[in-house]
Amino acid sequence: MLTRIVALALLVAPISASLPDLGYPGWKCDDSVYKKSKTVPTSAHSVRFSDIKVIGALGDSLTAANGAGAAKGDPLAVILQYRGLAFQCGGDSTLDEHVTVANVLKKFNPNIIGYSTGIGSANVWEVAKLNQAIPGAEAIDIITQARSLVHIIQAHKEIDVKNDWKLINIFIGANDMCAYCEQEENGPHSKELWKKNVITAVQILKDNLP
């Protein structure tokens, strides 16, 4: 399939909003690394960075980047979704000023489609693009997110659904773990159900994004 899927589930500790933004000024690779494949690869094992034309993401507030750009001493800004700063899919500024997967890939393909910019929710195309993460989401919610992402990609006139390589980041699990720790014995949150929901979402992507 022409979709490389990254699935991660981490419990991330809160980080002080006073930390400075981090970029990688002047980063570059050997010229040979920037080259695209001579023909469109048919296996993920052959994909080069420059072959990736589309980037998207599913997840919770960590991928929506809630509070990522909040000023020190402004707790209300935590509710704002700084999608352009999201490490999985944010495209604000450049790699010189801010490290994200999208900003790294822009070094290899400046025309990559789908990275989010600015501040806003998942239903605001001008901000979210293909970052469909929703704050508070649990694993069961990325099933709906996956369907939404598929619909948007299939309807996008600049995306060749059949031939364009897509990088979809899935980062989910923190809210599931919190709910798991708080639930009573034999509650609705379990490792098995988390796994089932993630597999269902991934299967939707696999079935609909060649």
Side-chain angles (χ1 to χ4, degrees):
M1 59 178 176
L2 297 190
T3 305
R4 171 64 66 88
I5 299 169
V6 180
L8 298 172
L10 294 177
L11 180 61
V12 179
I15 298 176
S16 171
S18 63
L19 290 177
D21 200 358
L22 297 175
Y24 202 137
W27 181 89
K28 62 180 180 179
C29 286
D30 184 83
D31 289 345
S32 63
V33 181
Y34 291 95
K35 295 180 179 179
K36 292 183 179 180
S37 299
K38 293 182 179 179
T39 59
V40 178
T42 57
S43 167
H45 299 288
S46 301
V47 174
R48 301 175 64 86
F49 295 119
S50 297
D51 295 328
I52 299 173
K53 295 185 176 181
V54 179
I55 186 169
L58 312 178
D60 53 29
S61 60
L62 298 175
T63 302
N66 278 66
K72 183 178 181 180
D74 185 4
L76 294 179
V78 174
I79 67 173
L80 297 178
Q81 299 169 35
Y82 293 83
R83 291 177 183 267
L85 300 178
F87 77 90
Q88 306 93 325
C89 198
D92 276 358
S93 63
T94 67
L95 186 60
D96 286 347
E97 293 84 31
H98 188 73
V99 176
T100 68
V101 174
N103 281 343
V104 171
L105 290 178
K106 283 194 288 183
K107 285 279 191 176
F108 297 90
N109 179 9
N111 299 315
I112 192 168
I113 293 173
Y115 59 83
S116 49
T117 55
I119 304 170
S121 57
N123 61 350
V124 180
W125 165 257
E126 293 79 8
V127 174
K129 303 296 193 301
L130 300 181
N131 179 349
Q132 289 299 295
I134 304 292
E138 298 179 358
I140 192 171
D141 300 309
I142 63 170
I143 296 173
T144 300
Q145 292 180 29
R147 293 193 180 105
S148 296
L149 184 64
V150 166
H151 174 75
I152 295 170
I153 289 177
Q154 291 180 341
H156 199 292
K157 296 180 180 179
E158 296 180 31
I159 297 177
D160 183 339
V161 177
K162 183 177 180 180
N163 296 302
D164 286 351
W165 273 96
K166 314 154 195 75
L167 174 65
I168 310 299
N169 287 281
I170 301 176
F171 195 83
I172 196 73
N175 293 313
D176 297 84
M177 284 187 279
C178 289
Y180 176 82
C181 293
E182 294 176 353
Q183 72 181 359
E184 297 180 359
E185 188 175 357
N186 299 321
H189 292 86
S190 66
K191 294 181 292 182
E192 292 74 19
L193 186 57
W194 182 91
K195 178 180 178 180
K196 177 182 177 181
N197 289 328
V198 172
I199 289 175
T200 300
V202 171
Q203 192 66 50
I204 290 170
L205 300 179
K206 183 177 180 181
D207 291 343
N208 294 280
L209 301 179

